[in-house]
């Protein structure tokens, strides 16, 4: 149905199979993604506004949402800084082991989150490899907010590197040479010529890492401690509500998370288009 | 790496003069940045993987093999393979169809379609599980009918497959779309004008052009399908030997303080991840140009 209306406005092409390909795509997309997601919002709306407000202003819900968004923000910031450095080193410098590093960056994409979770806990628990070194100094990482942030840094790292890397590769070195001939120091060139060109890619990477971190579950729950109001992330609260068969509670938190993520992604998109206009599309 | 590696010129009668190109930082900064990168990756990425294997083998090889061949673990491995064997081909067919429609044709709403395909990436896995519970669970609209027909979706294999398909939905399409858009339509149009049929064009022209990106997309999709935890955990019901996938089995063992067994099963998943990365790197190095376009996601 939708396929035929769209098909009627397409420009003519001699290549066959448009109707079939788009039909398969739209049917599958609707069945797997769109209808179930719409069901979530429909279910949430049918519960009534009072119920929605009651659950969304519940202190435990608010604490979980605040924790999820603040830890994700901090983790995405750390990834922004180190992702930028990693992309720079990978593109600009030649040193032994460069290819190995390039391959390792994708590890968080490939390693199952539960495996990452128990591995990080084995490292940072008070009796763990690293945790036991820090414990005498009174530093605790696992079962605190710091532990959550470490897990979120792990899963978000590739997003910034892989967003910045191709842009940096395409960046014209002559522009930097021009800046240098005009008397700019290397620091000025990097700050005022290179950095603005990378800004949209950096923001994209930040947004992707942030969005992924907000929804992350597997790698966090092992290291988080999961005590209500303190180290209980929003996705975990959804799971707890489901186990209590509190479907309206789970649905409300899910809708709040989706709306909040959507607004943040929208804001970052706006900043991005602003910086593209400001500095030009590179 | 040293400054001398860049440029050195010898003027007649003078000692060697070394230049550092203006677009390169001082040696001190370069070495510093490289060391920071290595330390960060070592601490955050390499050490956890090493920990998995060390903890897995801590109890010795016999304990390791026992943990893997124990009946519940074997059932979890079988279920994981089954789920991947269903969900990956589904997403493969979808990915190829979506890439064909988006890359080879112009139509209204294309960028919206592109955005919607990426949607599952920004939805929490837990929410992915939740939406199927709301759709097929006992409290849903379909619930009573499914029950009367004797079909169980939630807390059973179909629910696990659906949740896995959702979270791995964009992988193949994401690899194919940018590459096929970059390659354009010229090859296909030429083949058609020479009298090839639509299927011939697809299997003899398009497919060979994108085979490495396709393989990489399938590999990533498979790694994520076998390793998915959050979405599957919500819909599985955690019935040992029946609806436990490998990641869920790892969680159960870990929560029972059976760490050696948990890490043993986890090490199999870590091996899968390493295998995926090795194949990916080999593909990238050998077919750098083809893959370069697809890295921009």
């Amino acid at each position: 149905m939708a396929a035929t209306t769209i098909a009627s406005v397409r420009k003519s092409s001699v290549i066959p199979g448009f109707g079939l390909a788009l039909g398969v795509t739209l049917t599958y997309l609707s069945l797997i993604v769109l209808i179930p997601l719409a069901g979530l919002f429909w279910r949430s709306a049918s519960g009534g506004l009072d119920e929605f407000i009651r659950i969304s202003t519940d202190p435990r819900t608010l604490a979980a949402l605040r924790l999820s968004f603040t830890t994700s923000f901090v983790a995405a910031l750390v990834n922004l800084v180190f992702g930028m450095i990693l992309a720079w080193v990978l593109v600009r410098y030649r040193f032994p082991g460069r290819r190995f590093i390039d391959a390792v960056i994708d590890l968080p994409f490939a390693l199952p989150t539960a495996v990452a979770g128990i591995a990080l806990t084995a490292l940072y628990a008070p009796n763990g490899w690293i945790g036991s070194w820090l414990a005498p100094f009174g530093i605790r990482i696992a079962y605190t907010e710091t532990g959550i942030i470490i897990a979120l840094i792990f899963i978000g790292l590739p997003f910034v590197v892989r967003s910045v890397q191709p842009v940096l590769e395409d960046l014209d070195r002559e522009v930097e040479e021009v800046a240098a001939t005009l008397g700019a120091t290397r620091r000025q060139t990097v700050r005022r010529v290179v950095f603005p060109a990378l800004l949209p890619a950096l923001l994209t990477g930040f947004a992707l890492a942030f969005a992924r971190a907000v929804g992350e579950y597997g790698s966090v729950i092992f290291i988080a401690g999961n005590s209500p109001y303190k180290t209980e992330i929003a996705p975990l609260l959804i799971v707890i509500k489901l186990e209590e068969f509190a479907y309206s509670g789970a649905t409300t938190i899910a809708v709040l998370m989706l709306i909040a993520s959507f607004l943040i992604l929208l804001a970052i998109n706006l900043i991005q288009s602003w910086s593209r206009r400001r500095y030009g599309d590179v | 790496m040293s400054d001398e590696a860049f440029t050195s010129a010898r003027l007649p009668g003078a000692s060697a003069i070394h230049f550092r190109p203006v677009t390169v930082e001082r040696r001190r900064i370069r070495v510093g940045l490289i060391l920071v990168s290595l330390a960060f990756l070592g601490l955050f990425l390499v050490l956890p993987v090493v920990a998995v294997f060390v903890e897995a083998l801590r109890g010795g090889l016999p304990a390791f093999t026992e943990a893997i061949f124990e009946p519940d673990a074997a059932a979890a491995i079988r279920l994981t393979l089954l789920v991947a064997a269903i969900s990956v081909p589904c997403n493969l067919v979808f990915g190829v169809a979506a890439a064909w429609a988006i890359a080879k044709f112009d139509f209204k709403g294309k960028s919206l379609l592109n955005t919607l395909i990426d949607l599952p990436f920004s939805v929490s896995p837990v929410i992915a599980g939740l939406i199927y519970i709301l759709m097929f669970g006992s409290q849903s609209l379909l619930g009573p009918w499914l029950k009367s027909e004797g079909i169980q979706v939630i807390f059973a294999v179909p629910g696990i497959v659906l949740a896995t398909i959702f979270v791995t939905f964009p992988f193949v399409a994401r690899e194919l779309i940018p590459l096929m858009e970059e390659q354009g339509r010229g090859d296909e149009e030429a083949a058609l004008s020479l009298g090839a049929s639509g299927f011939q064009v697809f299997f003899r022209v398009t497919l060979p052009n994108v085979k490495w990106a396709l393989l990489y997309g399938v590999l990533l999709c498979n790694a994520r399908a076998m390793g998915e935890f959050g979405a599957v955990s919500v819909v599985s019901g955690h019935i040992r030997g029946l609806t436990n996938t490998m990641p869920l089995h790892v969680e159960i063992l870990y929560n029972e303080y059976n760490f050696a067994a948990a890490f043993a099963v986890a090490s199999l998943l870590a091996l899968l991840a390493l295998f995926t990365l090795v194949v990916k790197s080999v593909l990238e190095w050998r077919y750098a140009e083809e893959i370069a376009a697809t890295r921009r996601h």
Side-chain angles (χ1 to χ4, degrees), chain A residues 40-59 61-62 65 241 247-260 263, chain B residues 130:
Chain A
L40 174 75
F41 284 92
W42 180 78
R43 182 68 171 253
S44 166
S46 66
L49 193 63
D50 292 344
E51 177 79 350
F52 186 84
I53 291 173
R54 189 183 65 74
I55 296 165
S56 52
T57 52
D58 176 61
T61 308
L62 286 177
L65 286 171
K241 297 274 181 201
Y247 287 101
S248 59
T251 310
T252 306
I253 301 168
V255 167
L256 285 174
M257 278 180 67
L258 287 177
I259 293 174
L263 288 179
Chain B
L130 171 67

Side-chain angles (χ1 to χ4, degrees), chain A residues 58 191 230:
Chain A
D58 176 61
R191 195 165 63 87
K230 289 195 192 104

Side-chain angles (χ1 to χ4, degrees), chain A residues 212-230:
Chain A
R212 174 73 206 269
V214 168
E216 179 57 22
Y217 176 71
S219 60
V220 176
I221 54 159
F222 294 100
I223 204 172
N226 306 329
S227 60
Y229 300 100
K230 289 195 192 104

Side-chain angles (χ1 to χ4, degrees), chain B residues 4 35 41 61 110 174 204 219 272:
Chain B
E4 288 80 345
L35 288 180
L41 285 185
L61 207 56
K110 191 153 122 173
R174 253 321 107 224
R204 300 238 181 124
L219 272 174
L272 170 73

Side-chain angles (χ1 to χ4, degrees), chain A residues 203-214:
Chain A
L203 284 172
T204 306
F206 178 87
L208 291 172
F210 181 80
R212 174 73 206 269
V214 168

Side-chain angles (χ1 to χ4, degrees), chain B residues 180-192:
Chain B
M180 281 171 66
E181 277 188 325
E182 199 174 82
Q183 287 172 345
R185 306 158 198 181
D187 290 1
E188 282 80 7
E189 283 163 358
L192 284 165

Side-chain angles (χ1 to χ4, degrees), chain A residues 180-205:
Chain A
T181 23
L182 292 172
T185 63
R186 183 69 192 141
R187 183 186 298 237
Q188 282 172 324
T189 309
V190 170
R191 195 165 63 87
R192 303 179 69 161
V193 177
V194 180
F195 184 73
L198 296 181
L199 194 59
L202 279 167
L203 284 172
T204 306

